Amino acid sequence: MSLEEIDDIQERRAIERTLAQFDISQETIQKGVAYFIKQMEEGLSNETYSNDFLPMIPSFITHIPDGSETGLSLAADLGGTNFRICSVNLNGDHTFDMEQFKRKVDTTLMNGEDATSEEFFAYLARQVRYFLNKHHKFYLEKSESDLSKNPIKMSFTFSFPINQTSIDKGTLIRWTKGYNIPDAVGKDVVTLFQYALDEAKLPVKIVAITNDTVGTLLANSYSTLTQSKTVLGAIFGTGTNGAYPEKLENIKKLDPKIRAHLESKGVKDMIINTEWGSFDNKLEFLPTTIYDETVDSETSNAGVHLFEKRISGMFLGEIVRLVILDLHRRKLILNNYELGEDTLKNMSGGGSIRKSDSSTTLISLTNYPRRPNTKRFSHLVYTEWSLSTENLSRIQVDDSTELSVTELVLEEALHINTTYLDRLIIKKVTNAVSQRAALLASIAIAAVVLKTGRTGLTLSDDGQLVQTKHNDEIVEVGVDGAVVEFYPGFRKTIIKGLKLTQLGEQYSSKIEIVIAKDGSGVGAALCTKSYIE
Ligand code: GLC
């Protein structure tokens, strides 16, 4: 399948130019790795958070599990789309048993106009009650005085950027992934949740707040049957992020008293939640198209978490939708559809997409001539977020001759009828956008692995590969999230991307990317056992 099928050479070139905006050269990848490490170092040294470097949040988790841990813990997990509660029984032999309950978070509570933290956390507490009632009724039946003496320990996986000052305190820096409850920003989310649990008279005490990536790292360390160390836990789902163990001496911003206390107990490392979604918020390195700018302008956290907005599941479908609209405006696809008046209202920016310095010049909708004998688009084509990343994964694997799966997906998601050529082009767009995402992901992975020095290699200040004193080990990267798990070819392209980094073909083979199921459940349960008071 190739664009050669497009007869008009001008048109073909225009499409190729649009697709080429998503290309990333090897040079860019390598510069990205060096810059990523620099942003990690800045984040480890600066006490105050800034959008200019990675947040690098100390997790206060200092023990990496080895599979021998035992006991029952409760974990509440607020990730992207869902709120989940689980009780995990660790068997001490790398295995565990788990009961769980999951509910999609109501969008009015999540980002509605009147969303408040009080209502939101009260809602979470109601879910905890439901879960206990279903799976651990015993606790609800104990007398109040028994329980206040001995409440169930729960860890709270809260996968948003927080300023964490101890194992059980974290003030929200900002919401991401479509959440927007303004009054919670700047507050300690453990206090908010604990208050709601107490109000609901539930016998539960939150003992740790953690991030899904920290959980993924712990879960993989607990479950793995290999001798390899897990050097990174990463999520590629609705959002993207990674956590890794850093030497205490390198976490310069850590309160000296805390460091001294931990050192006196023999602690050497602490897990850092990088919040790499916020890599390069200043856009010094990240490839930027007008579609990325528009997606960013549609989000409630515009201007930040820009790396995430090029990689994760929440955004890929939206990028593709905007490219489809743009190609249509430039008469390159879907030529049997007109641009109706309603288009002007529904497009972001009131009709014309913001200008970028990309090679494509977008025609303002207001100047665009009507075409005769054309149909109107369904409103879905203009509806933000109407094309999901799950839709893209179906397009990506479509290998039927007429691209009939793609035809169906576009009909279902956007209510458009397409020609074979339209579909061919849209499939190419899908491929370009997802390839870019996976290659960017490999920058983050390579940078963290090189920062740890675990494979026996690190980068010098001028970006050259140098040997470290560490052992020359094979390392594991535990990954979780729908994109890396289910998006066709995503993991393969990450591996391809790793070969293009400074690690090259030879050293990138020392990194095993392992699907680490359920970090935010099992990993969170492990958190209740992985810190020093
Ligand atoms: C977003 C959150 C981060 C989380 C990631 C994956 O980037 O800010 O905390 O780990 O999504 O869920």
Side-chain angles (χ1 to χ4, degrees):
M1 272 181 306
S2 100
L3 293 178
E4 299 297 312
E5 311 217 9
I6 304 172
D7 297 331
D8 185 314
I9 193 118
Q10 298 295 340
E11 284 185 13
R12 194 194 314 157
R13 295 244 161 90
I15 291 164
E16 281 165 353
R17 273 202 304 277
T18 303
L19 294 172
Q21 289 182 64
F22 294 94
D23 289 349
I24 307 186
S25 67
Q26 181 165 21
E27 194 193 342
T28 308
I29 291 181
Q30 298 201 353
K31 275 195 185 144
V33 173
Y35 187 45
F36 197 104
I37 295 178
K38 197 164 157 268
Q39 289 225 309
M40 288 173 86
E41 276 159 2
E42 283 182 66
L44 288 172
S45 313
N46 281 285
E47 267 170 52
T48 44
Y49 289 102
S50 152
N51 288 338
D52 294 352
F53 44 79
L54 289 177
M56 306 297 281
I57 301 162
S59 69
F60 295 84
I61 301 284
T62 51
H63 167 80
I64 306 274
D66 60 10
S68 65
E69 293 72 11
T70 53
L72 181 80
S73 322
L74 210 59
D77 168 24
L78 185 68
T81 336
N82 297 309
F83 177 60
R84 204 163 58 112
I85 307 153
C86 26
S87 54
V88 181
N89 196 22
L90 302 167
N91 298 323
D93 58 357
H94 305 275
T95 69
F96 57 86
D97 303 303
M98 178 154 86
E99 306 281 6
Q100 62 169 319
F101 159 77
K102 182 159 94 174
R103 176 153 288 172
K104 195 167 182 301
V105 179
D106 187 324
T107 47
T108 344
L109 290 168
M110 183 171 146
N111 59 19
E113 269 188 27
D114 304 320
T116 65
S117 60
E118 193 175 343
E119 277 177 48
F120 182 71
F121 285 100
Y123 165 82
L124 300 193
R126 284 200 295 281
Q127 312 313 314
V128 175
R129 170 175 294 284
Y130 177 85
F131 176 80
L132 289 179
N133 198 28
K134 191 154 177 216
H135 296 290
H136 299 278
K137 214 168 183 160
F138 161 78
Y139 287 103
L140 293 179
E141 285 163 354
K142 273 185 152 191
S143 82
E144 244 181 71
S145 67
D146 276 359
L147 287 166
S148 55
K149 272 185 245 134
N150 209 1
I152 321 170
K153 287 186 180 175
M154 181 168 88
S155 97
F156 181 26
T157 306
F158 182 74
S159 301
F160 300 90
I162 53 170
N163 182 3
Q164 190 164 355
T165 48
S166 69
I167 186 73
D168 61 354
K169 275 204 173 24
T171 49
L172 178 60
I173 300 174
R174 59 171 162 268
W175 290 107
T176 51
K177 299 179 285 196
Y179 277 74
N180 190 18
I181 309 168
D183 81 281
V185 176
K187 291 196 186 134
D188 171 25
V189 288
V190 175
T191 308
L192 295 176
F193 194 7
Q194 187 66 57
Y195 175 81
L197 293 166
D198 294 345
E199 282 291 289
K201 304 228 171 330
L202 290 168
V204 175
K205 174 150 172 49
I206 305 171
V207 295
I209 178 160
T210 189
N211 184 264
D212 49 4
T213 54
V214 176
T216 302
L217 174 58
L218 297 187
N220 198 65
S221 308
Y222 176 82
S223 307
T224 188
L225 296 174
T226 71
Q227 292 304 311
S228 309
K229 288 257 169 344
T230 307
V231 288
L232 168 64
I235 301 281
F236 299 99
T238 310
T240 181
N241 188 15
Y244 76 104
E246 180 58 271
K247 290 190 205 62
L248 279 187
E249 73 217 43
N250 290 344
I251 313 171
K252 305 228 162 49
K253 64 182 175 186
L254 200 64
D255 181 339
K257 280 195 218 122
I258 297 177
R259 186 202 317 268
H261 172 68
L262 292 172
E263 279 168 354
S264 74
K265 305 259 178 185
V267 170
K268 292 203 165 50
D269 301 307
M270 182 186 283
I271 298 178
I272 296 289
N273 163 17
T274 64
E275 282 295 332
W276 73 36
S278 258
F279 170 51
D280 194 18
N281 282 329
K282 286 195 286 184
L283 293 180
E284 305 227 336
F285 139 84
L286 278 177
T288 300
T289 67
I290 193 156
Y291 317 110
D292 298 306
E293 291 180 352
T294 308
V295 168
D296 182 41
S297 72
E298 291 168 6
T299 59
S300 55
N301 60 345
V304 287
H305 251 48
L306 302 177
F307 191 55
E308 173 163 280
K309 289 172 191 167
R310 285 153 177 76
I311 297 182
S312 71
M314 177 154 177
F315 306 97
L316 300 184
E318 181 62 0
I319 301 175
V320 171
R321 185 187 71 88
L322 289 166
V323 181
I324 293 177
L325 271 179
D326 181 36
L327 292 177
H328 172 247
R329 262 200 312 276
R330 290 156 59 208
K331 292 191 186 170
L332 296 168
I333 57 170
L334 300 166
N335 286 328
N336 48 346
Y337 284 97
E338 73 176 31
L339 282 161
E341 293 302 332
D342 54 346
T343 315
L344 302 177
K345 282 185 253 112
N346 287 321
M347 276 297 292
S348 72
S352 59
I353 295 182
R354 282 192 287 137
K355 220 186 110 30
S356 84
D357 53 7
S358 70
S359 58
T360 317
T361 314
L362 288 159
I363 301 164
S364 162
L365 297 182
T366 18
N367 301 331
Y368 198 75
R370 285 280 194 94
R371 282 173 234 147
N373 305 323
T374 48
K375 295 187 278 186
R376 285 201 158 199
F377 271 143
S378 142
H379 70 97
L380 284 170
V381 182
Y382 303 114
T383 306
E384 291 169 4
W385 318 107
S386 56
L387 192 64
S388 69
T389 300
E390 200 186 329
N391 293 145
L392 300 193
S393 51
R394 290 171 66 201
I395 296 177
Q396 182 92 27
V397 281
D398 185 6
D399 58 3
S400 59
T401 30
E402 286 294 310
L403 295 177
S404 48
V405 175
T406 303
E407 181 172 24
L408 195 70
V409 170
L410 294 167
E411 234 171 68
E412 276 172 11
L414 302 179
H415 291 187
I416 47 177
N417 298 317
T418 47
T419 64
Y420 171 60
L421 213 51
D422 292 335
R423 300 196 283 277
L424 183 68
I425 295 165
I426 292 171
K427 186 166 158 65
K428 294 257 177 216
V429 173
T430 299
N431 195 46
V433 171
S434 64
Q435 280 266 330
R436 184 186 70 163
L439 292 176
L440 289 174
S442 54
I443 292 178
I445 296 175
V448 174
V449 171
L450 282 164
K451 175 80 178 65
T452 67
R454 277 287 182 184
T455 49
L457 298 156
T458 190
L459 277 198
S460 64
D461 287 345
D462 59 354
Q464 301 303 312
L465 204 59
V466 282
Q467 302 281 332
T468 66
K469 287 187 226 113
H470 279 290
N471 290 340
D472 176 1
E473 306 172 63
I474 300 274
V475 294
E476 277 185 16
V477 170
V479 292
D480 195 4
V483 174
V484 72
E485 208 184 338
F486 303 120
Y487 197 94
F490 200 83
R491 195 155 68 112
K492 244 187 171 164
T493 311
I494 292 184
I495 294 167
K496 181 173 137 201
L498 288 175
K499 293 185 182 153
L500 298 173
T501 68
Q502 287 85 338
L503 287 163
E505 185 110 21
Q506 186 185 357
Y507 298 116
S508 59
S509 61
K510 292 181 172 188
I511 304 177
E512 303 268 357
I513 299 192
V514 192
I515 301 283
K517 282 302 300 155
D518 208 14
S520 38
V522 187
L526 282 155
C527 279
T528 60
K529 305 173 189 306
S530 301
Y531 62 93
I532 286 187
E533 306 230 26

